[in-house]
Amino acid sequence: MANQHAQVQFPPSPQLTAASAILCKLQSIGHTAYFAGGCVRDALLQIPPKDYDIATSATPDIVRKLFPKSRYVGESFGVVLVYQSRIPIEVATFRLEWGYTDGRRPDNVQFTDAEHDAARRDFTINGLFADIPNHELDEHQPLTANVIDFVQGLTDLQSKTIRAIGDPQERFAEDYLRMLRAIRFAARLGFTIASPTANAIRNHAKYLGQISRERIGGELQNMLTGSNPHDAIFLIHQLKLDGPILNNDHQSLLEHDPLPILTHLSNQRLDSEPNIPFAYPTFLAGWLLDRFFHKTSLVPSLPHITTFLCEHFRITGIRKALSLSNETQTILVGILNLLPQLNGWSSFTIAEQKRILASPYFPHTLPLTYAIAPNLAASISTDADNLANDPAGISPTPFLTGEDLITLGLSPSPQFKKILDTAYDLQLDLSHTSRDAALDWLRQNHTPPPPASSD
Ligand code: ATP
Ligand code: MG
């Protein structure tokens, strides 16, 4: 029996207008149709839903016919994507799923009623439906709907609990990705995972590798770029999922540690200017450092980090384990190379400092330096501001190019790069303040040998 008394308010938005138009049309031809899952959960928590999913008794064929601007997205699963005012809305037929022999996908799907459809969903807070009254929607007003709760989701929302629907051991054995989803929702919403659900995750953690690395990496990226990355990773450690996620048996040093670097990064992100890229690679690097090093030993061992992570641990292993994009991988390696270099900041020449500041990896790396060695990071920031204000700036256009060397009569050779690098260093540290000065220097120091005489 469903609890029929609670109500929920959906804030006005173009998505809501589009989704309610679809719902009303389905209802008008006699079908049951509800808002389902995440949008009901979020609206009850007063978080504006990012999209609206619809669950209905209408079969996919009926949905396709009723909405000409639509296409199947998972025909065998009964999902149709309907375009309403150009907004894509997923309309899924109530379904039962069973026989997950691969821990990923159901072998069998059968169309059913709302109650059974709620039961195949992952967590009670995700198993709620909302029934909207069938009348004209005022698109500027919130929409009030009745909550339909077959799975005690309202109680768990109130007590801030993530609880698997049904027997948690069975539910995680059906689909191992649900283990990461549980953690993602717990961290994002600040909820606690009910102990039977948490125990079932611990029991199934070692099987995570049976699902695709793209799905694992996708969930991790969601967690690390979400609102509470440190909470997510802390749960991952507690529930023994860190090794399976990274596909690495290296014993975590920090099973009960509050993850100092990640915590620091999360706090910085909260306080920082929006233009600092606290993106996936920075948080990923933060987690790897937290997992493999104690903070106390980190600063002296900074130079060893890159060697350790890039060679012994094999960064390529992380890339495969998380199915990282080329861009994420490049930035991650850039960070891990730059981080130990920053340790020597005060001994660098001005040109060396400017070259570091101009590195595309510097903005991704500085937040980590703040987390590990705050005094060092603060002095780097001060120097960076001063250097940005000197007449040459941090990355001026070079005064000299290869063309100038050729004009002077030099023939292209590997020596070219060295000469141009030296010239650029002199420009960065203000020894050359104009192109003419740079050309004079070039003539004085690199005049080509006179042509060999032919007799
Ligand atoms: P988000 O805000 O992250 O999108 P969501 O709850 O909308 O959260 P989706 O992945 O969009 O999550 O899935 C929509 C709904 O489908 C969920 O609320 C849940 O009811 C159901 N669902 C999604 N993935 C699974 C799964 N692996 N097992 C069971 N049910 C699932
Ligand atoms: Mg969703």
Side-chain angles (χ1 to χ4, degrees):
M1 255 309 277
N3 172 344
Q4 297 270 11
H5 301 298
Q7 291 201 311
V8 58
Q9 274 212 337
F10 294 100
S13 73
Q15 282 79 6
L16 176 65
T17 309
S20 6
I22 298 173
L23 260 186
C24 291
K25 201 158 174 188
L26 285 162
Q27 288 171 348
S28 70
I29 59 160
H31 280 285
T32 311
Y34 299 139
F35 287 154
C39 60
V40 185
R41 172 199 68 219
D42 288 349
L44 282 162
L45 294 169
Q46 270 143 45
I47 303 168
K50 70 174 181 338
D51 47 31
Y52 285 84
D53 294 333
I54 292 174
T56 179
S57 60
T59 59
D61 287 352
I62 293 175
V63 177
R64 282 282 284 113
K65 283 198 192 110
L66 201 56
F67 301 98
K69 286 184 189 155
S70 64
R71 63 182 169 87
Y72 293 112
V73 281
E75 198 174 347
S76 56
F77 302 112
V79 183
V80 175
L81 196 66
V82 176
Y83 288 87
Q84 178 77 29
S85 316
R86 302 218 175 126
I87 296 174
I89 307 275
E90 275 193 11
V91 180
T93 306
F94 294 140
R95 64 190 191 267
L96 268 174
E97 300 174 336
W98 72 96
Y100 291 79
T101 38
D102 61 359
R104 283 185 288 200
R105 249 174 264 116
D107 304 331
N108 304 289
V109 171
Q110 184 187 314
F111 298 138
T112 180
D113 55 16
E115 183 161 5
H116 287 95
D117 183 77
R120 59 113 192 141
R121 291 172 186 270
D122 48 6
F123 307 109
T124 59
I125 60 163
N126 289 348
L128 296 164
F129 297 119
D131 189 9
I132 64 167
N134 194 348
H135 59 67
E136 205 53 15
L137 167 80
D138 178 344
E139 57 189 79
H140 304 294
Q141 292 299 319
L143 174 69
T144 304
N146 293 316
V147 178
I148 301 173
D149 180 7
F150 295 105
V151 292
Q152 317 261 292
L154 284 167
T155 320
D156 284 335
L157 262 188
Q158 245 153 25
S159 64
K160 296 177 174 261
T161 308
I162 305 290
R163 186 191 312 278
I165 294 174
D167 177 350
Q169 304 287 347
E170 281 174 21
R171 300 314 306 283
F172 291 115
E174 285 172 0
D175 178 358
Y176 301 123
L177 190 76
R178 290 176 188 154
M179 300 191 279
L180 300 185
R181 288 175 57 88
I183 292 174
R184 171 157 66 85
F185 291 120
R188 192 216 285 172
L189 303 172
F191 281 25
T192 307
I193 303 180
S195 9
T197 298
N199 289 337
I201 295 178
R202 257 189 220 99
N203 290 342
H204 289 88
K206 54 183 173 295
Y207 303 120
L208 183 78
Q210 292 189 25
I211 62 174
S212 82
R213 289 282 152 192
E214 287 79 15
R215 294 176 86 201
I216 296 175
E219 280 295 330
L220 184 74
Q221 176 162 5
N222 273 336
M223 291 188 232
L224 285 178
T225 51
S227 46
N228 285 313
H230 58 296
D231 289 356
I233 299 297
F234 188 55
L235 279 169
I236 281 174
H237 279 237
Q238 271 194 324
L239 299 177
K240 311 263 179 245
L241 279 159
D242 52 325
I245 289 176
L246 293 170
N247 199 14
N248 173 275
D249 293 333
H250 192 282
Q251 186 63 40
S252 165
L253 295 170
L254 298 161
E255 216 148 279
H256 302 291
D257 194 279
L259 301 159
I261 299 177
L262 269 184
T263 307
H264 210 292
L265 283 179
S266 306
N267 293 340
Q268 271 185 77
R269 184 173 60 182
L270 290 178
D271 307 338
S272 80
E273 304 142 41
N275 61 354
I276 300 184
F278 284 93
Y280 185 35
T282 300
F283 277 92
L284 187 54
W287 179 29
L288 296 174
L289 296 171
D290 265 338
R291 185 167 186 266
F292 295 107
F293 298 89
H294 283 294
K295 189 179 182 197
T296 43
S297 64
L298 195 56
V299 178
S301 69
L302 266 176
H304 306 299
I305 291 173
T306 324
T307 323
F308 181 78
L309 285 176
C310 292
E311 290 170 20
H312 299 285
F313 180 61
R314 294 209 190 289
I315 200 86
T316 49
I318 300 176
R319 169 183 211 161
K320 270 199 196 141
L322 302 176
S323 188
L324 300 181
S325 69
N326 288 344
E327 193 197 1
T328 301
Q329 167 77 2
T330 307
I331 300 176
L332 178 64
V333 172
I335 291 172
L336 293 173
N337 281 315
L338 188 55
L339 185 63
Q341 283 180 46
L342 290 183
N343 223 23
W345 180 259
S346 56
S347 64
F348 295 155
T349 63
I350 286 181
E352 284 167 337
Q353 291 183 338
K354 285 188 176 178
R355 282 179 185 272
I356 285 182
L357 296 176
S359 155
Y361 310 118
F362 177 75
H364 298 272
T365 310
L366 189 63
L368 283 158
T369 312
Y370 266 108
I372 296 162
N375 293 337
L376 172 64
S379 78
I380 294 174
S381 289
T382 312
D383 291 349
D385 288 345
N386 293 336
L387 291 172
N389 288 328
D390 84 16
I394 281 170
S395 53
T397 311
F399 288 141
L400 300 184
T401 66
E403 289 291 300
D404 296 310
L405 274 60
I406 291 169
T407 311
L408 191 70
L410 293 165
S411 3
S413 73
Q415 195 58 14
F416 261 41
K417 188 179 168 331
K418 279 196 189 151
I419 299 175
L420 290 174
D421 277 351
T422 311
Y424 196 55
D425 281 349
L426 292 166
Q427 180 179 348
L428 289 176
D429 71 16
L430 305 181
S431 304
H432 294 166
T433 52
S434 67
R435 176 169 155 79
D436 284 343
L439 282 170
D440 280 348
W441 168 86
L442 185 64
R443 279 188 217 101
Q444 278 162 25
N445 293 279
H446 296 284
T447 313
S453 81
S454 47
D455 33 63

